[in-house]
């Protein structure tokens, strides 16, 4: 039995014009994702008004989106441009490890953020004592450590799969599902590992999020003032939208049966959580957050004034020399 040393990634088999359109679209989303998430991280790091638990976790979420984008999109663009491409087994496992880490960390971070919103709305008087800076750092560290741990286990067992048939991956990148499809042994063990890991990575987070938002909605509906209800809903609406987009796409790709779907449809679903979700996250958190919009507008205004002052100083010096 020959040992597989590399895989051939098929990509998106379609007309040349459609692939060019996809390349342009993905490239624009790639640039927007990097710029948007870097902007969120910069604003949260430099603005004292954003030194709060919610914004700290938003910045952590932006880090996961950047890591995911930098790992997947360049390879995806290369494969689309060349109508396929090869990748070594080591690079494939590395890509799978980073992908698993970012997915797991985003899942756990969204769960922590739902708990943060629960404490802020349901126990506002105890919020500052519960969500301390030290506790936020511990929670974020736990999310990353657990993500590395679960992703390492997944990658380790995936590397033990035997590939005795064609080494062709009909996908954009190295993902678990297409790798299991071309494996000839070890699939049952991999399925068992995924089933066990689904409890701490999917079932538990979804349960915590549902319980948190059930209590949040019940608490908000008890508010007497309409303005108070609107303000409370606005503080968690962005997070709820991100949660829905993330879990729907992840469940549609990894949990729900995909036998009835065409390969291209399955690939498009994968594009949602690897390209679209990291792009839309900073938009949802910035456009629907008054504090971030206020600070961003203030920075733009400050830079504009600073540039005007520099220009006026330049013209003064020019007139003086004349």
């Amino acid at each position: 039995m020959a040992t597989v040393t590399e895989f051939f990634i098929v990509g998106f088999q379609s007309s040349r014009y459609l692939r060019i359109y996809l390349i342009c679209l993905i490239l624009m989303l790639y640039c927007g994702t990097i710029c948007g998430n870097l902007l969120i991280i910069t604003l949260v790091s430099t603005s004292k008004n954003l030194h709060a638990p919610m914004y700290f976790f938003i910045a952590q979420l932006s880090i996961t989106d950047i890591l995911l984008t930098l790992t997947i999109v360049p390879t995806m663009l290369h494969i689309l441009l060349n109508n396929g491409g090869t990748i070594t087994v080591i690079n494939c496992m590395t890509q799978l490890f980073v992908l698993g880490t970012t997915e797991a960390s985003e899942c756990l971070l969204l769960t922590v953020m739902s708990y943060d919103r629960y404490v802020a709305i349901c126990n506002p008087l105890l919020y500052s004592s519960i969500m301390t800076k030290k506790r936020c750092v511990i929670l974020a560290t736990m999310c990353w450590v657990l993500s590395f741990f679960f992703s390492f286990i997944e990658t380790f067992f995936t590397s033990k799969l035997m590939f005795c048939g064609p080494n062709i991956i009909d996908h954009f990148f190295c993902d678990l599902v297409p790798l299991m499809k071309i494996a000839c042994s070890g699939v049952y063990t991999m399925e068992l590992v995924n089933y066990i890991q689904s409890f701490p990575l999917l079932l538990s987070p979804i349960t915590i999020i549902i319980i948190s938002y059930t209590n949040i909605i019940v608490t908000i509906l008890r508010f007497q003032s309409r303005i108070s209800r609107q303000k409370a809903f606005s503080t968690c609406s962005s997070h709820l939208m991100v949660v829905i987009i993330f879990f729907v796409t992840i469940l549609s790709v990894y949990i729900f049966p995909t036998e009835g779907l065409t390969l291209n449809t399955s690939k498009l679903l994968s594009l949602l959580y690897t390209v679209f979700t990291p792009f839309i996250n900073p938009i949802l958190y910035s456009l629907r957050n008054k504090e971030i919009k206020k600070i961003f507008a203030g920075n733009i205004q400050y830079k504009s004034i600073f540039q005007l002052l520099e220009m006026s100083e330049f013209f003064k010096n020019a007139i003086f020399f004349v």
Side-chain angles (χ1 to χ4, degrees):
M1 186 183 297
T3 304
V4 174
T5 58
E6 63 180 20
F7 298 106
F8 180 83
I9 302 180
V10 175
F12 198 86
Q13 295 297 307
S14 60
S15 65
R16 179 171 176 267
Y17 297 103
L18 180 57
R19 284 190 291 109
I20 292 173
Y21 171 75
L22 274 175
I23 289 171
C24 295
L25 177 62
I26 292 172
L27 187 60
M28 287 189 294
L29 293 177
Y30 174 71
C31 295
T33 299
I34 299 299
C35 294
N37 284 289
L38 282 177
L39 178 64
I40 294 290
I41 295 171
T42 303
L43 290 177
V44 172
S45 302
T46 58
S47 303
K48 292 183 179 180
N49 292 338
L50 298 182
H51 288 177
M54 180 177 67
Y55 301 111
F56 171 74
F57 292 122
I58 290 175
Q60 297 295 312
L61 200 64
S62 293
I63 294 173
T64 65
D65 288 337
I66 290 175
L67 287 175
L68 174 62
T69 304
L70 291 175
T71 304
I72 300 298
V73 176
T75 303
M76 187 185 298
L77 290 172
H78 173 76
I79 290 167
L80 283 171
L81 189 63
N82 295 281
N83 199 20
T86 58
I87 184 172
T88 64
V89 173
I90 295 176
N91 289 338
C92 181
M93 293 300 113
T94 303
Q95 193 177 74
L96 183 66
F97 174 75
V98 178
L99 176 66
T101 301
T102 54
E103 286 178 352
S105 61
E106 185 159 357
C107 179
L108 296 174
L109 284 170
L110 289 174
T111 307
V112 172
M113 291 169 72
S114 68
Y115 174 74
D116 172 75
R117 292 298 84 205
Y118 161 75
V119 177
I121 294 174
C122 300
N123 297 287
L125 298 178
L126 299 176
Y127 181 75
S128 58
S129 60
I130 294 176
M131 301 303 293
T132 61
K133 183 178 180 180
K134 181 180 178 181
R135 187 162 295 170
C136 290
V137 172
I138 292 173
L139 288 171
T141 304
M142 287 177 61
C143 289
W144 284 106
V145 171
L146 288 174
S147 300
F148 281 119
F149 174 71
F150 287 123
S151 182
F152 175 78
I153 292 176
E154 179 186 77
T155 307
F156 174 78
F157 281 98
T158 305
S159 65
K160 298 300 179 181
L161 293 174
M162 296 296 296
F163 302 98
C164 49
N167 61 335
I168 299 174
I169 299 176
D170 197 356
H171 212 286
F172 287 111
F173 52 90
C174 282
D175 200 5
L176 182 62
V177 175
L179 281 172
M180 290 175 64
K181 285 183 179 179
I182 64 173
C184 56
S185 66
V187 176
Y188 174 77
T189 304
M190 194 69 246
E191 289 178 345
L192 182 61
V193 170
N194 289 336
Y195 177 77
I196 294 172
Q197 289 201 139
S198 66
F199 284 92
L201 288 178
L202 278 177
L203 184 61
S204 298
I206 290 175
T207 302
I208 294 172
I209 290 171
I210 291 174
I211 293 174
S212 297
Y213 271 98
T214 301
N215 284 280
I216 287 171
I217 293 171
V218 171
T219 303
I220 291 175
L221 292 177
R222 290 175 180 172
F223 291 168
Q224 300 296 325
S225 172
R226 181 182 177 182
I227 297 175
S228 298
R229 288 197 296 269
Q230 290 178 345
K231 185 178 180 181
F233 272 120
S234 66
T235 60
C236 57
S237 59
S238 300
H239 174 258
L240 186 59
M241 292 176 66
V242 171
V243 166
I244 292 172
I245 293 172
F246 175 77
F247 280 102
V248 167
T249 53
I250 289 294
L251 291 174
S252 64
V253 173
Y254 294 107
I255 303 300
F256 297 150
T258 58
E259 286 79 5
L261 299 176
T262 63
L263 287 173
N264 287 340
T265 303
S266 180
K267 293 174 188 177
L268 288 175
L269 287 174
S270 298
L271 280 178
L272 289 178
Y273 75 89
T274 56
V275 178
F276 179 73
T277 302
F279 171 77
I280 202 69
N281 282 352
I283 296 176
L284 290 175
Y285 280 120
S286 58
L287 292 181
R288 299 183 64 86
N289 190 289
K290 293 180 180 179
E291 195 67 33
I292 291 180
K293 286 194 294 184
K294 180 181 176 182
I295 292 174
F296 178 69
N299 287 340
I300 293 296
Q301 185 178 5
Y302 173 78
K303 289 179 180 179
S304 299
I305 294 173
F306 186 74
Q307 289 173 355
L308 286 173
L309 289 173
E310 284 186 334
M311 289 176 64
S312 63
E313 189 68 26
F314 172 78
F315 284 120
K316 284 181 182 179
N317 292 333
I319 294 171
F320 175 77
F321 283 115
V322 172

